[in-house]
């Protein structure tokens, strides 16, 4: 058996049953037609280990496997093992399978009835010639393989060519020629977890419906929509009278006459003729409508992002032949109108085990991390959030690098995402309809992930956003989801992409950015008094900072000597300065003389004087001192956890606030007198254990929620509540 030439066809049959008649004639016809054909010996008695390995290689290399099912095919355990190998190759989306039913009813194969069932009874009694457990597992695989291959359809002698063998063989040659003439779409290796994801789509494709159905595969960029579509196409295109896979439609349609080129490609695929010259989209639509009237087709439209593309390439849908199927991949789940008959498949990210496996293939060339890299691999996998694109890029980037490089890369990714990944994801951002949705997305990415949707809507509506429709647009584009508890959820890589867009506004000077969500950047901007009027929102959380952040950003050795406070040790070496308490409670502008006996670091209010566009402010473990006359007057949201005051300062600008959250505060009284806050909707004082009484709230006409959960010392609630 020569394997010098790469085989095109693999012929599987039972030599004892058909080897001297039908299968032999079919083999000679295939060779005579010019197909490089490798045939099975079909007999376990002749198949040594070396022969079996060569056959396995031949199956993988062949473009199509032809399986001749006869009544005695299943009598051979060799043939059944061969069948399992053939179907394994099919599942890898690389090879076509053509079942031939020679004097056999496909339903008998599917259900293992008649002589086929009798043969299986013998196999089960013999245990597949293995130990009991191994034998049962082997027989179970055979049964599953027979059911799967019978469901493929194939060619039945009794139903074609009036049972004439010679005519039947000629028909088989034409089918083989058709399958080999259609190149299988290339898919990158290591398709982790794709089998379980493709089950529902395969069921939809094989549901036997006479309707013209459309399936929309949607998801964020880089999650694997195109790979899924290619995989499904490779498995199913041969079951249709015609098929076409139109790739990269978003990108290709931007070129001159790009849509016309795609229309020509469709006609070439369906009509199997040279691409016809066309000069307009309208002309192409007319040609496409004529081409699809009498053919049951499979059409895949990959990466569609607007209606014009759909109209040009799917305008003939109403004329498609019954049973035709259309698959559309897109980042916009509402691309098709509600009255268009279609189903939606939302692509799910890889789970943690799948993520580590995919990363390992690209980083180490094996199924799992090498020894010593397990923890770092887990961290990278978690960072990628199950996004195959990110796992592949980072795996390739880190391949061959030592453990220190891995750790340094993980630290860098916390601040600066990988540019290759960002380039892919930013396409989705650029496709948003307008600056309104883009700015809303950036606000959500920086400040509102994990927050209640109603809270975000209340705040952002007062920031001149049309928040309800804006959030819906972002949901449609897979930027954001709403969880069961009405919580806003965003994929980590999408969040990182949004935050990096903000970082790129001023990579070196954080104070010139529109939003500061990272406490270290906020700390540096305030301690160096470099805030500007561009800042719209800021987060300051001292618990998120390390001691080294405070020391390196704030003070020189002379600063420590100058203040001579009791809470610092080893003044001569500021890199080794330590605080007595593990948690640092306040941000410093300077060390207050009145706080010398503690480790509290106090921030002066005048560092906010330049932030007059500030709308969103989140403090955690922060203390301010000074006059609030210079404080931003247009705040919409104030979240100040661990507020260390017994009463809100009388000059604090509360008038424009929509939401106030003062969790775990030390307030005993909220404010003096009556405050008129006409915009305030939500007031949350949860866990303010020192609070004794509430003030007169008559000046809050729009208050919808007053939250006093765990205010355990409260003894007086104002009667107007």
């Amino acid at each position: 058996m020569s394997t010098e030439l790469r085989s095109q066809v693999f012929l599987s049959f039972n030599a004892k049953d058909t080897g001297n008649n039908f299968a032999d004639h079919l083999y000679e016809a295939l060779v005579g037609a010019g197909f490089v054909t490798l045939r099975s010996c079909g007999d376990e008695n002749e198949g040594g280990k070396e022969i079996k390995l060569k056959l396995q290689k031949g199956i993988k290399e062949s473009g199509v496997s032809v399986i001749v099912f006869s009544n005695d095919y299943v009598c051979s355990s060799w043939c059944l093992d061969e069948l399992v190998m053939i179907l394994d190759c099919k599942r890898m989306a690389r090879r076509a399978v053509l079942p031939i039913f020679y004097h056999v009813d496909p339903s008998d194969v599917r259900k293992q009835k008649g002589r086929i069932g009798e043969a299986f009874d013998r196999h089960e009694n013999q245990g597949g010639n293995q130990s009991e457990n191994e034998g049962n597992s082997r027989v179970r695989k055979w049964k599953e393989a027979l059911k799967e291959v019978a469901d493929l359809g194939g060619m039945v002698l009794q139903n074609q060519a009036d049972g004439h063998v010679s005519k039947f063989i000629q028909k088989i040659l034409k089918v083989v020629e058709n399958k080999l003439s259609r190149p299988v779409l290339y898919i990158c290796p290591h398709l982790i977890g794709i089998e379980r994801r493709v089950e529902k789509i395969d069921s939809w494709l094989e549901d036997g419906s006479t309707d013209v159905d459309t399936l929309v595969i949607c998801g964020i960029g880089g999650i694997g929509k195109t790979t899924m579509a290619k995989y499904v196409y490779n498995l199913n295109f041969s079951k249709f009278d015609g098929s076409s896979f139109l790739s990269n439609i978003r990108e290709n349609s931007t070129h001159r006459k790009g849509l016309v080129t795609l229309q020509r490609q469709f006609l070439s695929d369906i009509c199997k003729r040279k691409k016809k010259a066309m000069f307009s989209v309208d002309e192409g639509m007319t040609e496409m409508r004529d081409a699809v009237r009498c053919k049951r087709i499979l059409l895949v439209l990959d990466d569609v992002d607007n209606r014009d593309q759909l109209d040009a390439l799917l305008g003939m849908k109403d004329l498609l032949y019954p049973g035709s199927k259309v698959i559309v991949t897109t980042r916009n789940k509402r691309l098709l109108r509600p009255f268009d008959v279609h189903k939606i498949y939302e692509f799910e990210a890889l789970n943690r085990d799948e993520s580590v496996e995919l990363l390992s293939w690209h980083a180490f060339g094996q199924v799992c991390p090498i020894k010593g890299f397990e923890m770092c691999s887990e961290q990278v996998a978690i960072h990628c959030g199950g996004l195959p694109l990110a796992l592949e890029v980072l795996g390739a980037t880190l391949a061959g690098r030592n453990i220190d490089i891995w750790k340094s890369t993980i630290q860098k990714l916390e601040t600066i995402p990988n540019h290759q990944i960002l380039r892919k994801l930013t396409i989705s951002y650029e496709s948003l309809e307008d600056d309104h949705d883009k700015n809303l997305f950036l606000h959500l990415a920086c400040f509102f992930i994990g927050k209640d949707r109603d809270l975000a809507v209340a705040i952002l509506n007062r920031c001149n956003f049309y928040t309800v429709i804006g959030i819906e647009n972002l949901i449609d584009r897979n930027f954001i989801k709403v969880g069961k508890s009405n919580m806003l959820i965003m994929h980590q890589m999408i969040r990182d992409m949004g935050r990096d867009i903000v970082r790129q506004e001023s990579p070196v000077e954080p104070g010139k950015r529109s939003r500061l969500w990272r406490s270290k950047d906020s700390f540096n901007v305030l301690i160096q008094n470099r805030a500007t009027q561009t800042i719209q929102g800021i987060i300051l959380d001292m618990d998120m900072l390390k001691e080294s952040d405070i020391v390196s950003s704030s003070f020189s050795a002379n600063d420590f000597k100058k203040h001579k406070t009791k809470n610092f040790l080893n003044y001569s070496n500021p890199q080794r300065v330590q605080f007595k308490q593990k948690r640092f409670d306040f941000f410093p502008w300077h060390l207050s003389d009145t706080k010398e006996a503690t480790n509290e670091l106090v921030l002066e209010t005048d560092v906010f004087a330049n932030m007059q566009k500030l709308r969103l402010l989140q403090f955690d473990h922060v203390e301010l001192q000074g006059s609030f006359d210079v404080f931003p007057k247009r705040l919409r949201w104030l979240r100040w956890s661990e507020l260390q005051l017994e009463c809100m300062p009388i000059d604090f600008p509360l008038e424009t606030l929509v939401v106030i959250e003062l969790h775990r505060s030390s307030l005993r009284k909220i404010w003096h007198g009556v405050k008129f806050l006409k915009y305030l909707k939500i007031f949350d004082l949860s866990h303010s254990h020192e609070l004794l009484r509430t003030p007169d709230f008559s000046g809050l006409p729009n208050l919808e929620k007053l939250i006093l959960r765990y205010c355990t010392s409260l003894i007086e609630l104002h009667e107007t509540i």
Side-chain angles (χ1 to χ4, degrees):
M1 179 176 57
S2 174
T3 57
E4 292 180 2
L5 291 176
R6 188 184 184 91
S7 59
Q8 296 174 293
V9 180
F10 180 80
L11 183 60
S12 176
F13 60 95
N14 187 335
K16 291 182 178 179
D17 188 16
T18 62
N20 295 321
N21 42 65
F22 177 75
D24 190 54
H25 294 316
L26 178 57
Y27 173 76
E28 294 296 335
L30 288 166
V31 174
F35 299 117
V36 180
T37 305
L38 176 66
R39 57 179 167 179
S40 166
C41 66
D43 187 346
E44 55 264 48
N45 295 324
E46 298 180 14
K49 184 176 181 180
E50 183 180 352
I51 296 294
K52 194 167 186 175
L53 289 174
K54 287 183 178 180
L55 287 174
Q56 190 172 14
K57 182 175 182 290
I59 291 170
K60 291 179 179 179
E61 289 180 348
S62 299
V64 58
S65 291
V66 178
I67 307 167
V68 179
F69 282 104
S70 59
N71 279 306
D72 289 335
Y73 183 89
V74 297
C75 293
S76 168
S77 59
W78 177 279
C79 288
L80 291 169
D81 285 341
E82 204 168 70
L83 174 63
V84 171
M85 285 191 285
I86 289 170
L87 293 178
D88 284 343
C89 288
K90 170 184 172 291
R91 292 188 199 98
M92 292 300 292
R94 296 181 182 278
R95 302 295 175 257
V97 176
L98 177 60
I100 305 296
F101 298 97
Y102 182 72
H103 296 301
V104 171
D105 189 330
S107 67
D108 288 350
V109 176
R110 182 183 296 106
K111 299 176 182 178
Q112 291 99 57
K113 298 191 305 182
R115 290 177 61 183
I116 293 175
E118 294 171 5
F120 258 95
D121 289 339
R122 290 193 295 273
H123 284 308
E124 288 178 328
N125 291 333
Q126 296 168 4
N129 295 322
Q130 303 288 321
S131 65
E132 184 175 353
N133 289 337
E134 291 177 347
N136 291 338
S137 174
R138 192 180 182 200
V139 170
R140 186 168 58 253
K141 286 182 180 179
W142 291 343
K143 286 188 173 183
E144 291 171 354
L146 285 174
K147 183 179 184 304
E148 180 180 346
V149 78
D151 287 339
L152 295 178
M155 303 179 70
V156 183
L157 173 63
Q158 298 92 311
N159 300 340
Q160 300 189 38
D162 299 323
H164 293 294
V165 172
S166 60
K167 292 181 180 179
F168 187 46
I169 288 176
Q170 291 305 310
K171 285 197 169 189
I172 294 172
L173 293 181
K174 289 182 179 180
V175 173
V176 170
E177 181 180 10
N178 181 57
K179 289 181 179 294
L180 290 175
S181 66
R182 298 297 307 279
V184 176
L185 298 173
Y186 172 76
I187 301 177
C188 59
H190 315 309
L191 303 180
I192 310 301
I194 199 165
E195 289 84 2
R196 69 179 179 85
R197 289 170 172 80
V198 83
E199 286 178 358
K200 290 183 179 179
I201 300 178
D202 267 348
S203 297
W204 169 74
L205 282 167
E206 299 174 4
D207 61 7
S209 170
T210 56
D211 294 330
V212 176
D213 287 344
T214 302
L215 176 73
V216 178
I217 301 177
C218 60
I220 63 175
I223 201 167
K225 301 182 297 296
T226 297
T227 299
M228 168 68 83
K230 286 182 177 181
Y231 187 90
V232 170
Y233 183 84
N234 285 344
L235 289 179
N236 293 280
F237 75 87
S238 61
K239 303 172 188 175
F240 293 81
D241 300 326
S243 58
S244 180
F245 190 105
L246 301 180
S247 60
N248 299 321
I249 291 173
R250 175 190 55 79
E251 180 180 348
N252 288 328
S253 63
T254 62
H255 301 156
R256 182 174 178 270
K257 293 191 175 181
L259 287 175
V260 173
T261 301
L262 289 166
Q263 290 174 328
R264 290 175 62 201
Q265 180 63 52
F266 171 83
L267 290 168
S268 175
D269 291 340
I270 298 299
C271 301
K272 300 202 172 47
R273 67 188 185 197
K274 291 184 178 180
K275 295 179 183 178
K276 180 180 177 181
M278 293 184 300
F279 303 97
S280 70
V281 169
D282 290 339
E283 182 184 355
M285 290 176 67
T286 301
E287 293 281 346
M288 292 171 72
R289 292 172 75 88
D290 291 339
V292 300
R293 293 179 185 272
C294 300
K295 291 184 178 181
R296 179 174 169 269
I297 70 167
L298 172 62
L299 172 62
V300 178
L301 303 178
D302 172 52
D303 196 14
V304 182
D305 71 347
N306 66 54
R307 286 291 314 178
D308 290 343
Q309 296 160 6
L310 270 185
D311 292 341
L313 301 172
L314 202 53
M316 75 308 185
K317 183 186 174 186
D318 58 321
L319 295 178
L320 286 174
Y321 196 75
S324 293
K325 302 284 189 179
V326 179
I327 297 175
V328 179
T329 74
T330 181
R331 305 176 193 217
N332 184 1
K333 71 174 68 173
R334 291 193 185 271
L335 187 68
L336 271 71
R337 295 165 296 207
F339 50 81
D340 291 324
V341 179
H342 68 281
K343 297 177 177 63
I344 292 181
Y345 179 94
E346 294 198 45
F347 207 104
E348 61 178 287
L350 300 180
N351 61 37
R352 185 173 298 188
D353 290 341
E354 291 169 338
S355 296
V356 172
E357 182 178 350
L358 182 58
L359 177 73
S360 297
W361 279 116
H362 288 272
F364 309 112
Q366 60 185 43
V367 70
C368 58
I370 62 177
K371 188 176 181 180
F373 286 80
E374 297 90 348
M375 183 65 72
C376 284
S377 296
E378 285 273 350
Q379 289 177 295
V380 173
I382 292 170
H383 173 82
C384 292
L387 193 68
L389 167 72
L391 292 160
E392 291 168 11
V393 169
L394 291 177
T397 301
L398 292 167
R401 301 297 187 97
N402 62 42
I403 194 68
D404 291 334
I405 296 295
W406 277 69
K407 291 178 179 178
S408 180
T409 299
I410 291 168
Q411 292 175 340
K412 179 184 175 184
L413 289 171
E414 294 176 1
T415 306
I416 306 174
N418 181 278
H419 74 281
Q420 288 179 265
I421 302 169
L422 287 180
R423 199 162 54 236
K424 179 80 171 180
L425 295 178
T426 304
I427 293 171
S428 298
Y429 173 78
E430 296 298 337
S431 72
L432 290 174
E433 294 182 9
D434 46 43
D435 289 341
H436 171 276
D437 286 1
K438 290 179 179 178
N439 278 306
L440 177 62
F441 162 67
L442 296 180
H443 262 27
L444 295 175
C446 292
F447 301 114
F448 291 98
I449 302 308
K451 306 296 184 187
D452 181 80
R453 176 179 181 166
D454 295 337
L455 178 141
V457 169
I459 296 168
L460 294 172
N461 277 350
R462 283 287 299 150
C463 294
N464 299 321
F465 286 105
Y466 302 97
T467 316
V468 174
I469 183 59
I471 286 179
E472 283 301 309
N473 290 340
L474 294 174
I475 290 173
D476 292 343
R477 294 277 183 171
N478 293 286
F479 278 90
I480 199 164
K481 294 182 179 180
V482 180
K484 293 181 180 179
S485 301
N486 206 36
M487 181 184 296
L488 295 175
I489 302 169
M490 187 178 289
H491 190 282
Q492 181 169 318
M493 301 302 293
I494 292 291
R495 183 205 67 184
D496 290 350
M497 179 265 289
R499 292 181 174 183
D500 194 69
I501 289 171
V502 175
R503 188 186 69 83
Q504 290 293 339
E505 293 172 352
S506 179
V508 179
E509 292 288 341
K512 295 180 180 179
R513 300 173 193 164
S514 58
R515 302 157 181 90
L516 296 174
W517 68 91
R518 187 167 175 258
S519 289
K520 184 175 180 179
D521 290 334
S522 302
F523 179 84
N524 287 333
V525 167
L526 293 170
I527 201 67
Q528 298 168 25
N529 199 15
R530 293 192 176 184
T532 67
Q533 292 200 25
T534 60
I535 299 175
Q536 301 173 38
I538 189 168
I539 294 176
L540 302 171
D541 184 351
M542 183 57 103
D543 270 4
M544 295 297 292
L545 292 180
K546 301 174 183 177
E547 176 185 327
S548 59
D549 295 331
I550 299 173
V551 173
S552 62
S553 300
S554 309
F555 300 100
S556 66
N558 289 331
D559 290 323
F560 288 114
K561 292 177 181 178
K562 176 181 176 181
H563 290 288
K564 296 182 180 178
T565 54
K566 296 179 182 179
N567 55 314
F568 294 109
L569 303 176
N570 196 347
Y571 303 120
S572 62
N573 189 348
Q575 297 304 318
R576 295 181 60 191
V577 171
Q578 297 182 2
F579 292 85
K580 289 184 178 179
Q581 293 184 5
K582 181 178 180 181
R583 195 189 77 194
F584 311 113
D585 290 304
F586 304 99
F587 279 92
W589 173 247
H590 61 75
L591 289 171
S592 169
D593 293 337
T594 63
K595 301 287 184 178
E596 281 190 351
T598 72
N599 73 342
E600 297 172 353
L601 303 174
V602 183
L603 184 67
E604 294 287 352
T605 56
D606 57 11
V607 300
F608 290 88
N610 290 331
M611 289 193 252
Q612 293 309 308
K613 291 185 179 179
L614 190 69
R615 301 289 183 275
L616 314 171
L617 180 58
Q618 178 178 321
F619 283 156
D620 289 280
H621 316 108
V622 176
E623 183 171 338
L624 297 179
Q625 76 173 18
S627 171
F628 284 92
D629 287 339
V630 296
F631 212 71
K633 301 297 191 295
R634 300 165 70 183
L635 286 176
R636 302 293 190 258
W637 177 38
L638 172 66
R639 172 177 171 146
W640 196 343
S641 298
E642 303 279 355
L643 173 62
Q644 301 296 303
L645 294 174
E646 293 187 1
C647 183
M648 289 293 292
I650 194 169
D651 55 349
F652 194 96
L654 300 170
E655 291 75 14
T656 60
L657 284 164
V658 178
V659 174
I660 301 175
E661 297 177 280
L662 303 176
H663 305 155
R664 301 183 301 280
S665 75
S666 297
L667 292 171
R668 297 173 66 83
K669 184 177 183 180
I670 301 175
W671 57 60
H672 295 285
V674 178
K675 294 282 188 182
F676 185 68
L677 310 179
K678 65 177 181 179
Y679 301 112
L680 189 64
K681 291 188 174 184
I682 301 172
F683 199 178
D684 188 352
L685 291 150
S686 300
H687 297 272
S688 294
H689 301 299
E690 305 299 321
L691 187 64
L692 299 175
R693 54 183 54 84
T694 63
D696 183 347
F697 285 120
S698 60
L700 281 58
N702 292 306
L703 186 64
E704 297 174 357
K705 290 183 181 180
L706 175 64
I707 303 171
L708 299 170
R709 188 182 300 113
Y710 298 111
C711 294
T712 53
S713 299
L714 192 63
I715 59 175
E716 181 180 342
L717 191 65
H718 197 274
E719 62 183 11
T720 60
I721 296 300

